[in-house]
Amino acid sequence: MVRVGIYGATGYTGFELIKLLVRHPEVELVFATARSDAGKQLCDIFPTMLQTPLVAVEQADLAAVDLVFTCLPHNAPELVPLVQQALAAGKRVIDFSDTFRLRDPDDYERRRGWPHPSPELLAIAVYGLPELHRAQIRQAHLVANTGCYPLTAIVPLWPLVQADLFADTTVIVDSKSGISGAGRALALKTHFGETHETFSAYNIGRTHRHLGEMEQETGLHIIFSPHLLPVYRGILSTIYINLKPETTLEQARAAYGCYRDEPFLRLLPAGQLPELRLVQQSMYLAMGIQPVAGDPGRFIIVSALDNLLKGASGQAVQSMNIMFGLDETLGLG
Amino acid sequence: MVRVGIYGATGYTGFELIKLLVRHPEVELVFATARSDAGKQLCDIFPTMLQTPLVAVEQADLAAVDLVFTCLPHNAPELVPLVQQALAAGKRVIDFSDTFRLRDPDDYERRRGWPHPSPELLAIAVYGLPELHRAQIRQAHLVANTGCYPLTAIVPLWPLVQADLFADTTVIVDSKSGISGAGRALALKTHFGETHETFSAYNIGRTHRHLGEMEQETGLHIIFSPHLLPVYRGILSTIYINLKPETTLEQARAAYGCYRDEPFLRLLPAGQLPELRLVQQSMYLAMGIQPVAGDPGRFIIVSALDNLLKGASGQAVQSMNIMFGLDETLGLG
Amino acid sequence: MVRVGIYGATGYTGFELIKLLVRHPEVELVFATARSDAGKQLCDIFPTMLQTPLVAVEQADLAAVDLVFTCLPHNAPELVPLVQQALAAGKRVIDFSDTFRLRDPDDYERRRGWPHPSPELLAIAVYGLPELHRAQIRQAHLVANTGCYPLTAIVPLWPLVQADLFADTTVIVDSKSGISGAGRALALKTHFGETHETFSAYNIGRTHRHLGEMEQETGLHIIFSPHLLPVYRGILSTIYINLKPETTLEQARAAYGCYRDEPFLRLLPAGQLPELRLVQQSMYLAMGIQPVAGDPGRFIIVSALDNLLKGASGQAVQSMNIMFGLDETLGLG
Amino acid sequence: MVRVGIYGATGYTGFELIKLLVRHPEVELVFATARSDAGKQLCDIFPTMLQTPLVAVEQADLAAVDLVFTCLPHNAPELVPLVQQALAAGKRVIDFSDTFRLRDPDDYERRRGWPHPSPELLAIAVYGLPELHRAQIRQAHLVANTGCYPLTAIVPLWPLVQADLFADTTVIVDSKSGISGAGRALALKTHFGETHETFSAYNIGRTHRHLGEMEQETGLHIIFSPHLLPVYRGILSTIYINLKPETTLEQARAAYGCYRDEPFLRLLPAGQLPELRLVQQSMYLAMGIQPVAGDPGRFIIVSALDNLLKGASGQAVQSMNIMFGLDETLGLG
């Protein structure tokens, strides 16, 4: 049994993570922390029958676990100290924030505008994308769980990069996300009255904070436009690429052979595109690719995943399974 | 031209009110106040092209208006002073809160648990339901705009009371409201993730704070169960009543003859029930009544309105039209 | 392994049933039939990765199964012949329609207006509500799977009837259902443009075809008002009852002790009411009961379930587990 | 008074058109036809209080009108004969289908794969985009009302073409439409259960039937990806363009000066992008344009409109106002 703890269990990813861990046959959930809700049970704050107790960080018994998940907001001041403390105690860590996702501290500084708070952790962190970095995740002490938007771009673009098919390395990623991606913190942008029955773009171009991951993992130059959908879960990205003019659909599809044995990645049959319903409540990342008729080399990819599962909490459990030598799909069925 | 001002323009009812007043041919909107958004324009906070400036309360030129609308939260501490100040300045007031809706200060104290803050205002306030109190509204200096839930019960029940048809004066009102009724203040209960794709009951039985209005206006004993619908606007109430056993559908329907000339009330043809779409974005309150087959005297009423228009801002404009001798439907088409 | 077949797999309940059976550790799905979609796979018509083949009824190998689920529309002409054929072949049947739910053929004829098409089947059918009829289900050859609306009334009312707490046996059940309850057949009433952002009542009073089940199982006289919610799955019912005036909340809650060991029924702690999110995607039927302050004997119950799981396909699997001596919760976690 | 008739009043655009015409101060609605619903009133099929009678085509008194609106499905066999009949009778016609939108019969044949059914009508038809073809619309006997998707691309792209700012004439238009755009005909793709809480792409690349209009009016080469949003009304398009590398945001914005006096077109202030709520229930087409930081010449445009008003029925009324010398905004406020 892997004994785990969660720091920050009262966000949407924390809630999904608990639901996965409680059913996981090889996991014992030792603690789950909350700030203002410490002392309550999970069922007091979420619609669930689960009575998982929520404790203050000070009550969390770090010594009793093998691994901690840190599910804190990106900018929580306690994040880096908690990670350092856990690593110092010999525990392994899977972090949900974007703090440790960029390998290069200079890249971090250039993109954010300030130096990385703990470059020594960056040096040991592994980007938690099993399909690209499985071997390193197995050994990792610190895994930087992937961003949900980036995954919808990296997974379908990476094989085409590997196959050296790009004619133009500038790529347009037009993404549409359900509102759970914006988190559970109170804000007008997640108020029902401001999000229901509407649709909007935000942080378009090259301004979204998770652009860096996409470019780091693919080596491409990416124009990224996120949009907010009036649905709860799921991201669908429509990706516009220019491959070498002679590239056939068969060649493009063949590049995805590298994912042949991946349990959670699916290239749909030619002519099919995923929709959100196909992947909601599942670990699948589904992709379709189509040529633009009459425009040699131009293709459109549509990819989709559940941002809370493959895009966050399920992805973390997949990494945990790898780190502890378990069947990679355990508890994720 | 009626010159009007709005105290508290940044809630959903304030926004709807501005949209109505700006198009109203006989109204000049002199000021609209905001607290944290003072200095901005309406289009900075709502999805609109309207550039109505928002000023701090201190900047509002009370002397320049004939009437003020107070659209503040029910418990705003500045509410009563602002109403008193406006009345003292000889201005007329239409208040959106539930502060002045109960005529009897003892009733207020019994229901709320504390004495009324300004019983002298209660003495002059008129309950702003034009179809029942048109003559008093015409003369009123202080109109207490009706609650949205209460209207769906009072309007269909009152004619049956007038016609002395009730066998049992206990009535069950099962109401379902869109989320705009919960206001624009940030709260988990209005977070998209907590309200979308779900449905819930709250404050059921005899605990909702607007039960008093319903009982005051109808003289009935009401069991009231509000529910929250995942839609933006509209309330539909299903009402269970026991009339005298010999009452026919025709007799029950005949009681609604009193509304014959009302521009905004509609008894649907026998066999029809309103749905929310019928009344959304309109001033109509629509009603249907059906007998329960085989249960003499038992009837079910379904009523529906747009909580932001007939249930709030439109209702206030209707009262304003009456107060200033205008065509009652002006600006409400 | 229980070998099963499904007649009628292309409705929403059929789809949910396949998803449950495919993951069930003790079930082998031998066939699933479709009419116009025969020859396709499940993934051709539903958003799923499941490639379950769909065959014409004529291709279904009845001899190879132990049990068939009949998931056909209530009035499908092939339904009774298929049930008769399966029973004649010594197979057990769980039927999803409302054909076999009333025990008394006279009751059926009185309520429907025509005689039952196969009263000899009615004589052997068992109403598939495990919590009330577990022993008979175990032996049954023909189980009439419960209606989704009726379950939300029967389960919370039955213990109070058993405890002889009713003062007035007339009960009001105000129900609100997600749209999946209306099925997948094309109709304006399920068109997105006619159901989204609205809410409506239909078949209110004593006219809904599933009123009979509720009254048969509880012995109460029920006023039933169904409504259509703009959500996909889930039913919430608000139930108004008059118990003996001296009944305390504790006594009413104590009546639910009979459900103490039921894996899927949950009486929530005093003061809590279920919302749809609590039960969606789960087998739980959750209930809350509250007294009406100041009205002795008057209580309000709120109950909720997932109409496709506990209200349909999951319920059928629970019955199947009982019929074949399996752990009742197997495959339903 | 302009006397008008509608052929095909029972789709979503027909319903919106009637609502506009009934309130229009200078219009008399003489007839509205329906096929299966002939003999009913508008309120029998839509949620409205309007009692507009619906007549069979044969009952429509063509002689009594000045103008007919043809709101029939794109492929209705009666469409061309009705248009020919009306023109022959000296009536003017505004057609909602895509039959007369392409000026060049060869272009039509190349894009559709079959010859145009009535090239002589194509020769006289005017593309009904007032902001580009106002003078021709004024004289036109046959106006081809614009497509809703095309408008979101043509309006924001045309000024940049006029200003000769494009470096690359291939443009990517990623569009997201509410479901009313798919019409009221029954189909699984508009079933609530198949569209709610999901999101999907369809006909991507260069396959959508309204691509031709966009290219005809702009002269650009367009990659167009439509998507289906789970909202009722509104289209938002995200458009990726490559202008000459030295183009500044100010220069790009200056190009929109040509729309300065247009009552319904709005370029938002720099830094702002429209969302659907801004334009729903209105005649506005709103646009924002932003440069991609660090990528000279690359810009992203976001445009939005209400597909039933500026995108269909309101647009037709605007053209009608022009054709009959009325104030262009009459009845559209």
Side-chain angles (χ1 to χ4, degrees):
Chain A
M1 297 290 278
V2 182
R3 297 165 305 156
V4 308
I6 302 174
Y7 288 116
T10 59
Y12 289 134
T13 54
F15 179 40
E16 291 294 319
L17 184 59
I18 290 181
K19 287 193 288 184
L20 291 172
L21 294 174
V22 161
R23 293 181 311 187
H24 194 293
E26 295 289 336
V27 163
E28 181 194 350
L29 177 58
V30 176
F31 66 79
T33 78
R35 214 180 311 194
S36 53
D37 291 311
K40 295 185 184 168
Q41 295 181 325
L42 196 66
C43 58
D44 294 328
I45 37 173
F46 286 106
T48 176
M49 303 291 182
L50 293 176
Q51 297 176 347
T52 313
L54 300 169
V55 302
V57 169
E58 300 71 35
Q59 262 66 55
D61 185 3
L62 181 60
V65 304
D66 304 307
L67 170 79
V68 295
F69 297 95
T70 43
C71 303
L72 298 159
H74 289 307
N75 295 321
E78 66 269 41
L79 174 63
V80 170
L82 280 173
V83 171
Q84 288 169 327
Q85 180 187 43
L87 291 170
K91 311 306 179 182
R92 300 171 89 174
V93 177
I94 297 178
D95 176 56
F96 279 59
S97 82
D98 59 13
T99 310
F100 307 109
R101 292 183 192 157
L102 297 181
R103 265 184 293 278
D104 178 357
D106 292 341
D107 191 24
Y108 182 98
E109 183 165 354
R110 197 169 50 245
R111 291 179 181 273
R112 294 289 157 80
W114 57 82
H116 192 278
S118 51
E120 75 289 358
L121 293 183
L122 221 53
I124 65 162
V126 173
Y127 190 68
L129 180 41
E131 292 82 0
L132 268 63
H133 307 296
R134 189 168 276 118
Q136 298 100 299
I137 291 170
R138 190 168 292 123
Q139 312 297 336
H141 285 266
L142 173 56
V143 167
N145 204 34
T146 51
C148 50
Y149 276 129
L151 216 55
T152 66
I154 298 167
V155 170
L157 290 172
W158 184 82
L160 304 175
V161 171
Q162 293 303 304
D164 193 25
L165 292 175
F166 278 90
D168 178 352
T169 54
T170 294
V171 164
I172 289 170
V173 177
D174 191 284
S175 294
K176 301 86 174 175
S177 173
I179 286 163
S180 56
R184 199 164 172 252
L186 296 182
L188 263 183
K189 72 172 175 172
T190 52
H191 189 293
F192 184 90
E194 314 286 312
T195 50
H196 176 69
E197 194 63 3
T198 190
F199 182 72
S200 58
Y202 66 99
N203 291 356
I204 62 175
R206 291 184 52 76
T207 62
H208 192 276
R209 59 190 285 155
H210 296 158
L211 185 66
E213 300 171 49
M214 300 188 207
E215 298 193 335
Q216 168 182 280
E217 299 294 312
T218 62
L220 298 167
H221 180 74
I222 294 179
I223 313 296
F224 173 55
S225 297
H227 300 73
L228 206 54
L229 279 171
V231 308
Y232 181 62
R233 57 202 300 161
I235 297 178
L236 184 143
S237 292
T238 312
I239 303 173
Y240 300 88
I241 57 176
N242 289 293
L243 302 183
K244 293 174 182 165
E246 67 278 10
T247 313
T248 64
L249 177 58
E250 290 64 37
Q251 287 172 311
R253 291 182 56 84
Y256 293 92
C258 60
Y259 292 151
R260 195 179 304 109
D261 300 324
E262 290 299 340
F264 299 127
L265 308 187
R266 287 284 179 278
L267 180 68
L268 299 184
Q272 294 185 20
L273 300 175
E275 63 164 308
L276 281 193
R277 287 191 304 157
L278 181 64
V279 296
Q280 283 164 336
Q281 305 276 357
S282 91
M283 274 295 286
Y284 290 114
L285 189 159
M287 302 161 278
I289 182 167
Q290 291 189 8
V292 176
D295 280 31
R298 215 178 259 280
F299 288 81
I300 303 176
I301 299 168
V302 175
S303 63
L305 54 64
D306 184 310
N307 59 308
L308 296 176
L309 290 175
K310 183 63 179 170
S313 304
Q315 179 85 315
V317 171
Q318 186 179 356
S319 285
M320 179 200 73
N321 286 340
I322 294 169
M323 292 164 85
F324 289 86
L326 303 171
D327 175 343
E328 197 165 325
T329 66
L330 207 63
L332 295 170
Chain B
M1 296 291 279
V2 183
R3 297 164 305 155
V4 307
I6 302 174
Y7 288 117
T10 59
Y12 288 134
T13 53
F15 179 41
E16 291 294 320
L17 183 59
I18 290 181
K19 287 193 288 184
L20 292 172
L21 295 174
V22 162
R23 294 180 308 188
H24 193 293
E26 294 290 336
V27 164
E28 180 195 350
L29 177 58
V30 176
F31 66 79
T33 78
R35 214 180 312 195
S36 53
D37 292 312
K40 297 184 184 168
Q41 295 180 325
L42 196 66
C43 58
D44 295 327
I45 37 173
F46 286 106
T48 177
M49 303 292 182
L50 294 176
Q51 296 176 347
T52 313
L54 301 170
V55 302
V57 169
E58 299 70 34
Q59 262 67 54
D61 185 4
L62 181 60
V65 305
D66 303 307
L67 169 80
V68 295
F69 297 94
T70 43
C71 303
L72 298 159
H74 288 308
N75 295 319
E78 66 269 42
L79 174 63
V80 170
L82 281 173
V83 170
Q84 288 170 327
Q85 181 188 40
L87 291 171
K91 310 305 178 183
R92 299 171 89 175
V93 177
I94 297 178
D95 176 55
F96 279 59
S97 82
D98 59 12
T99 310
F100 307 107
R101 294 183 192 157
L102 297 180
R103 267 183 291 279
D104 177 358
D106 293 342
D107 191 22
Y108 182 97
E109 181 164 358
R110 198 170 50 246
R111 291 178 181 274
R112 292 289 157 80
W114 57 83
H116 193 277
S118 51
E120 76 288 357
L121 293 182
L122 221 52
I124 65 161
V126 172
Y127 190 68
L129 181 41
E131 293 82 0
L132 268 64
H133 306 296
R134 187 169 278 118
Q136 298 100 299
I137 291 170
R138 189 168 292 124
Q139 313 296 337
H141 286 266
L142 172 57
V143 167
N145 204 33
T146 52
C148 49
Y149 276 129
L151 217 56
T152 66
I154 298 166
V155 169
L157 289 171
W158 185 82
L160 304 175
V161 171
Q162 294 303 302
D164 193 25
L165 291 175
F166 277 91
D168 178 354
T169 54
T170 294
V171 164
I172 289 169
V173 177
D174 191 285
S175 294
K176 301 86 174 175
S177 173
I179 286 164
S180 56
R184 199 162 172 253
L186 296 182
L188 263 183
K189 72 171 176 173
T190 52
H191 189 292
F192 184 91
E194 315 285 312
T195 49
H196 175 68
E197 195 63 6
T198 191
F199 182 71
S200 58
Y202 67 100
N203 291 356
I204 63 175
R206 291 185 50 76
T207 62
H208 192 276
R209 60 189 286 156
H210 296 158
L211 186 65
E213 299 171 48
M214 300 187 207
E215 298 193 335
Q216 167 182 281
E217 299 294 312
T218 62
L220 298 168
H221 180 74
I222 294 180
I223 313 296
F224 173 54
S225 296
H227 300 74
L228 207 53
L229 278 173
V231 309
Y232 181 62
R233 58 201 300 159
I235 296 178
L236 185 144
S237 291
T238 312
I239 304 175
Y240 300 87
I241 57 176
N242 289 293
L243 302 183
K244 292 173 182 166
E246 66 278 10
T247 313
T248 63
L249 177 59
E250 290 64 37
Q251 287 172 311
R253 292 181 57 85
Y256 293 93
C258 59
Y259 293 151
R260 195 180 302 108
D261 300 325
E262 290 299 341
F264 299 128
L265 307 188
R266 287 286 179 277
L267 180 68
L268 299 184
Q272 293 185 20
L273 300 174
E275 63 164 307
L276 282 193
R277 288 192 302 157
L278 181 64
V279 295
Q280 284 164 335
Q281 306 277 357
S282 92
M283 273 296 285
Y284 289 115
L285 189 159
M287 302 161 277
I289 181 167
Q290 291 191 6
V292 176
D295 281 32
R298 214 178 260 281
F299 287 81
I300 303 176
I301 299 168
V302 174
S303 63
L305 54 64
D306 184 310
N307 58 307
L308 296 176
L309 290 175
K310 182 64 178 169
S313 304
Q315 179 85 315
V317 171
Q318 187 179 356
S319 286
M320 178 201 73
N321 286 340
I322 294 169
M323 292 164 85
F324 289 86
L326 302 172
D327 174 344
E328 196 165 325
T329 65
L330 206 64
L332 295 171
Chain C
M1 297 292 278
V2 183
R3 298 165 304 156
V4 308
I6 302 173
Y7 288 117
T10 59
Y12 288 134
T13 54
F15 179 41
E16 290 294 319
L17 183 59
I18 291 181
K19 288 194 287 185
L20 290 173
L21 295 174
V22 161
R23 295 181 308 188
H24 194 293
E26 294 290 336
V27 164
E28 181 195 349
L29 177 58
V30 176
F31 66 79
T33 77
R35 215 180 310 196
S36 53
D37 291 312
K40 295 184 184 168
Q41 294 181 325
L42 196 66
C43 57
D44 294 328
I45 37 174
F46 286 106
T48 176
M49 303 291 181
L50 294 175
Q51 296 176 346
T52 313
L54 300 170
V55 302
V57 169
E58 300 71 34
Q59 262 66 55
D61 185 3
L62 182 60
V65 304
D66 304 307
L67 169 80
V68 295
F69 297 95
T70 44
C71 303
L72 298 159
H74 288 308
N75 295 320
E78 66 269 42
L79 174 63
V80 170
L82 280 173
V83 170
Q84 288 169 327
Q85 180 187 43
L87 291 170
K91 311 306 180 184
R92 300 172 90 175
V93 176
I94 297 177
D95 176 56
F96 279 58
S97 82
D98 59 12
T99 310
F100 307 109
R101 293 184 193 158
L102 298 180
R103 265 183 293 279
D104 177 358
D106 292 342
D107 190 23
Y108 182 98
E109 182 164 355
R110 197 170 50 245
R111 291 178 181 274
R112 293 289 157 80
W114 56 84
H116 192 277
S118 52
E120 74 289 356
L121 293 183
L122 220 52
I124 65 161
V126 172
Y127 189 68
L129 180 40
E131 292 81 0
L132 267 63
H133 307 297
R134 188 169 276 118
Q136 299 100 299
I137 291 170
R138 190 167 291 123
Q139 312 296 336
H141 285 266
L142 172 56
V143 168
N145 204 33
T146 52
C148 50
Y149 276 129
L151 216 56
T152 66
I154 298 167
V155 169
L157 289 172
W158 185 82
L160 304 174
V161 171
Q162 293 303 303
D164 194 25
L165 292 176
F166 278 90
D168 178 352
T169 54
T170 294
V171 164
I172 289 170
V173 177
D174 192 283
S175 294
K176 300 86 175 175
S177 174
I179 286 164
S180 57
R184 200 162 172 254
L186 296 181
L188 263 183
K189 72 171 174 173
T190 53
H191 190 292
F192 185 91
E194 314 285 312
T195 51
H196 176 68
E197 195 62 5
T198 191
F199 182 71
S200 58
Y202 66 100
N203 291 355
I204 62 174
R206 291 186 50 76
T207 63
H208 192 276
R209 59 190 287 156
H210 296 158
L211 186 66
E213 300 171 49
M214 299 187 207
E215 298 193 335
Q216 167 182 279
E217 299 294 312
T218 62
L220 298 167
H221 180 73
I222 294 179
I223 313 296
F224 172 54
S225 296
H227 300 74
L228 207 53
L229 279 173
V231 308
Y232 181 63
R233 58 201 301 160
I235 297 177
L236 184 143
S237 292
T238 312
I239 304 174
Y240 300 87
I241 57 177
N242 289 294
L243 301 184
K244 293 174 181 165
E246 67 278 11
T247 312
T248 64
L249 176 60
E250 291 63 38
Q251 286 172 311
R253 290 182 57 85
Y256 293 93
C258 59
Y259 292 151
R260 195 178 304 108
D261 300 325
E262 290 299 340
F264 299 127
L265 307 187
R266 287 285 179 278
L267 180 68
L268 299 185
Q272 294 185 20
L273 300 174
E275 63 165 307
L276 281 193
R277 288 191 303 157
L278 181 64
V279 295
Q280 283 165 335
Q281 305 277 356
S282 90
M283 274 295 285
Y284 289 114
L285 190 159
M287 302 161 278
I289 181 166
Q290 291 189 8
V292 176
D295 281 31
R298 214 177 261 280
F299 288 82
I300 304 176
I301 299 168
V302 175
S303 63
L305 53 63
D306 184 309
N307 59 307
L308 296 176
L309 290 175
K310 184 63 179 170
S313 304
Q315 179 86 316
V317 171
Q318 187 180 356
S319 285
M320 179 200 73
N321 285 340
I322 294 169
M323 292 163 85
F324 289 87
L326 303 172
D327 175 343
E328 197 164 325
T329 65
L330 207 63
L332 295 170
Chain D
M1 295 291 279
V2 183
R3 297 165 305 155
V4 306
I6 302 174
Y7 288 117
T10 60
Y12 288 133
T13 53
F15 178 41
E16 292 294 319
L17 183 59
I18 290 181
K19 287 193 289 184
L20 291 172
L21 295 174
V22 161
R23 294 181 309 188
H24 194 293
E26 294 290 335
V27 163
E28 180 195 350
L29 177 58
V30 176
F31 66 79
T33 78
R35 213 180 312 196
S36 53
D37 292 312
K40 296 185 184 167
Q41 294 180 327
L42 196 66
C43 59
D44 294 327
I45 37 173
F46 286 106
T48 177
M49 303 292 183
L50 294 176
Q51 296 176 347
T52 313
L54 301 169
V55 302
V57 169
E58 300 72 33
Q59 262 67 53
D61 184 4
L62 182 59
V65 304
D66 305 306
L67 169 80
V68 295
F69 297 94
T70 43
C71 304
L72 298 160
H74 289 307
N75 295 319
E78 66 268 42
L79 173 63
V80 170
L82 281 173
V83 171
Q84 289 170 328
Q85 181 187 41
L87 292 171
K91 312 305 180 183
R92 300 171 89 175
V93 177
I94 297 178
D95 176 55
F96 279 59
S97 82
D98 59 12
T99 310
F100 308 108
R101 293 183 193 158
L102 297 181
R103 268 183 291 278
D104 178 357
D106 293 341
D107 190 24
Y108 182 97
E109 181 164 357
R110 196 170 50 246
R111 291 178 181 273
R112 294 288 157 80
W114 58 83
H116 193 276
S118 52
E120 76 288 359
L121 293 182
L122 221 52
I124 64 160
V126 172
Y127 189 69
L129 180 41
E131 292 83 359
L132 268 63
H133 308 297
R134 187 169 277 118
Q136 299 100 299
I137 291 170
R138 189 168 292 126
Q139 313 296 337
H141 286 266
L142 172 56
V143 168
N145 204 34
T146 51
C148 49
Y149 276 129
L151 217 56
T152 66
I154 297 166
V155 170
L157 290 172
W158 185 82
L160 303 174
V161 172
Q162 293 304 303
D164 194 25
L165 291 176
F166 278 91
D168 178 353
T169 55
T170 295
V171 165
I172 289 170
V173 178
D174 191 284
S175 294
K176 301 86 174 174
S177 173
I179 285 163
S180 56
R184 200 163 171 253
L186 296 182
L188 263 183
K189 73 171 174 172
T190 52
H191 189 293
F192 185 90
E194 315 284 313
T195 50
H196 175 67
E197 195 62 6
T198 191
F199 182 72
S200 58
Y202 67 99
N203 291 355
I204 63 174
R206 293 186 49 78
T207 62
H208 192 276
R209 61 189 284 155
H210 297 157
L211 186 64
E213 300 171 47
M214 299 186 208
E215 298 191 337
Q216 167 182 280
E217 299 294 313
T218 62
L220 298 168
H221 179 75
I222 294 180
I223 313 295
F224 173 54
S225 297
H227 300 74
L228 207 53
L229 278 172
V231 308
Y232 180 62
R233 59 202 300 160
I235 296 178
L236 185 144
S237 291
T238 312
I239 304 175
Y240 300 88
I241 57 177
N242 290 293
L243 301 184
K244 292 174 182 165
E246 66 279 10
T247 313
T248 64
L249 176 60
E250 290 64 37
Q251 287 172 310
R253 291 181 56 85
Y256 292 93
C258 60
Y259 293 151
R260 195 179 304 108
D261 300 324
E262 290 298 341
F264 299 128
L265 307 188
R266 286 286 178 277
L267 180 68
L268 299 184
Q272 293 185 20
L273 300 174
E275 62 164 308
L276 282 192
R277 287 192 303 158
L278 181 63
V279 295
Q280 284 165 334
Q281 305 277 358
S282 92
M283 273 296 284
Y284 289 115
L285 189 158
M287 302 162 278
I289 181 166
Q290 291 189 6
V292 177
D295 281 32
R298 213 178 262 281
F299 288 82
I300 303 176
I301 299 168
V302 174
S303 63
L305 53 63
D306 184 309
N307 58 308
L308 297 175
L309 291 174
K310 183 63 178 169
S313 304
Q315 179 86 314
V317 171
Q318 187 179 356
S319 286
M320 179 200 73
N321 285 339
I322 295 169
M323 293 163 84
F324 289 87
L326 303 171
D327 174 344
E328 196 165 324
T329 65
L330 207 63
L332 295 171

